[in-house]
Amino acid sequence: MDEARRAMVEEQLRSRGIRNHRVLDAMGRVPREDFLPSTLARAAYDDRAVPIDEGQTLSQPYMVAAMTEALEPGPTDRVLEIGTGSGYQAAVLSLLVSEVFSLERIASLAEGARKRLNDLGYSNVRVRTGDGSLGWPEEAPFDGIIVTAAAPEPPRSLLSQLSEVGGRLVVPVGTRTEQDLLRVRREGDELETDTLLGCRFVPLLGEEGW
Ligand code: SAH
């Protein structure tokens, strides 16, 4: 699996333009196979999204890398993830920032991810069950917020929980079937939005989602 992981980093990430060395390094360290149902572990380093429990999906490695790079994770950052799923994205983030908060609406997924992250020693991640479209106000503000499900528009609650000095929100926005990955940067009251790439995510369900 180590060899498959190295090949994934070179062939799917570096050669397609992922430049951030810390992101490449983190993705070269997290055992993606440990976040998948055992019957799908063989597909861990395939160039595609993989189904997890409850009809959800773990994104293609390239998409995880592109979103993580877009978040511009810094070593002292506190980051919020919406859509814990398997916990894989949270594990990648945990190697890059100081604290990760992750929200998942399906309790069984949150529990599974919490156990997996704990067993693998990712100790700076907190997982909670709840509607992530409303964020985690008790822990705000965040230097970065990453949404791994598709929203009709950037949720207002999440924008309000960004740090006023350069907080970044990375979120797929569009219809239920097709989206653009957006990065919204907050500077005081100003929001600056970049459109990064086309993508397809499962819908963000909830008060400020679908
Ligand atoms: N980041 C995950 C993959 C996420 S799939 C990983 O690394 O494995 C998208 C996840 O978002 C699903 O688990 C889904 O249940 C969750 N989700 C959808 N709407 C949500 C909401 N409002 N709050 C929290 N989680 C939500």
Side-chain angles (χ1 to χ4, degrees), residues 52 56-58 81-89 103-106 109 130-133 148-149 202-206:
I52 56 174
Q56 305 300 321
T57 49
L58 170 54
E81 178 193 25
I82 311 304
T84 316
S86 68
Y88 175 73
Q89 171 78 73
L103 283 165
E104 169 57 55
R105 60 178 282 277
I106 302 176
L109 288 178
D131 178 2
S133 73
T148 63
V202 296
L204 178 77
L205 303 175

Side-chain angles (χ1 to χ4, degrees), residues 67-117:
M67 292 181 84
T68 308
E69 186 170 65
L71 194 68
E72 300 172 4
T76 60
D77 285 354
R78 296 169 72 255
V79 164
L80 174 66
E81 178 193 25
I82 311 304
T84 316
S86 68
Y88 175 73
Q89 171 78 73
V92 171
L93 288 169
S94 86
L95 297 177
L96 294 166
V97 302
S98 78
E99 275 183 287
V100 181
F101 300 85
S102 187
L103 283 165
E104 169 57 55
R105 60 178 282 277
I106 302 176
S108 61
L109 288 178
E111 247 164 68
R114 197 180 289 123
K115 176 168 186 334
R116 225 168 271 134
L117 289 161

